[in-house]
Amino acid sequence: GQDETVKVAQMATTSPPPATYQNVQSIQVLCLLQADDAVAAQADTDRLCSAVEDIAGQGVDLPVTKIALGDPKVVGANRLTLLVHASLTTVNGQRMIALSVRPYRADADGAQVLFGATPRIARLDDDTDLNTAISASLDSVLPWRGQPTGVRKIQ
């Protein structure tokens, strides 16, 4: 009943972080921005990845760096990789992206996060819009950024 829901919510706000986030010594950002069944222009990918790197580094005392596809650091020990996958399209003359962020940790056996942040839509060329979408995504996948929301009903 309701008492059990309250207990679960209290445990969620006082328990240690999941294994994916324990003993992390660095955060890395790996981005894939696709457009029309191909990889998007490098400048657009760099812009997105730099914004994620900047925002992910706010409020945490860990180094945050970008890495490229194929970089062996993605499987390094004590590294949390933020996988940023986005799709770019043009709508009414505006370049729009749908993006999702998922944390990945190669050395967190059995503690992988299967689904990341709710996909967000933003105008790629609007800094405020893009940063708002990235911040909301990071708030939901990085425990030190977001406020614990407790139990949420699945509908």
Side-chain angles (χ1 to χ4, degrees):
Q2 188 166 352
D3 289 340
E4 289 300 311
T5 300
V6 170
K7 287 180 189 174
V8 171
Q10 288 171 341
M11 288 183 344
T13 60
T14 60
S15 60
T20 301
Y21 303 101
Q22 292 178 10
N23 302 314
V24 169
Q25 295 175 1
S26 67
I27 300 170
Q28 49 207 22
V29 179
L30 177 60
C31 296
L32 176 60
L33 177 59
Q34 295 176 286
D36 299 324
D37 298 325
V39 175
Q42 189 62 45
D44 291 332
T45 300
D46 290 345
R47 183 169 189 279
L48 172 63
C49 216
S50 291
V52 173
E53 178 186 28
D54 291 344
I55 295 168
Q58 295 171 1
V60 66
D61 191 25
L62 294 171
V64 180
T65 57
K66 296 179 289 187
I67 60 172
L69 292 170
D71 191 319
K73 291 177 187 170
V74 77
V75 294
N78 300 320
R79 296 174 184 263
L80 177 67
T81 302
L82 297 175
L83 301 173
V84 180
H85 191 194
S87 174
L88 173 64
T89 191
T90 301
V91 178
N92 296 327
Q94 294 190 55
R95 296 179 339 130
M96 305 291 292
I97 62 167
L99 74 104
S100 185
V101 179
R102 182 174 72 90
Y104 172 76
R105 176 119 178 247
D107 63 346
D109 291 334
Q112 293 304 327
V113 176
L114 298 178
F115 298 98
T118 301
R120 310 267 178 197
I121 296 173
R123 292 181 299 269
L124 181 61
D125 299 317
D126 180 326
D127 289 342
T128 300
D129 201 35
L130 181 62
N131 291 345
T132 298
I134 292 168
S135 290
S137 293
L138 294 176
D139 287 350
S140 70
V141 298
L142 298 177
W144 55 86
R145 282 190 52 93
Q147 295 296 321
T149 57
V151 177
R152 289 181 281 176
K153 184 177 179 182
I154 298 175
Q155 298 182 11

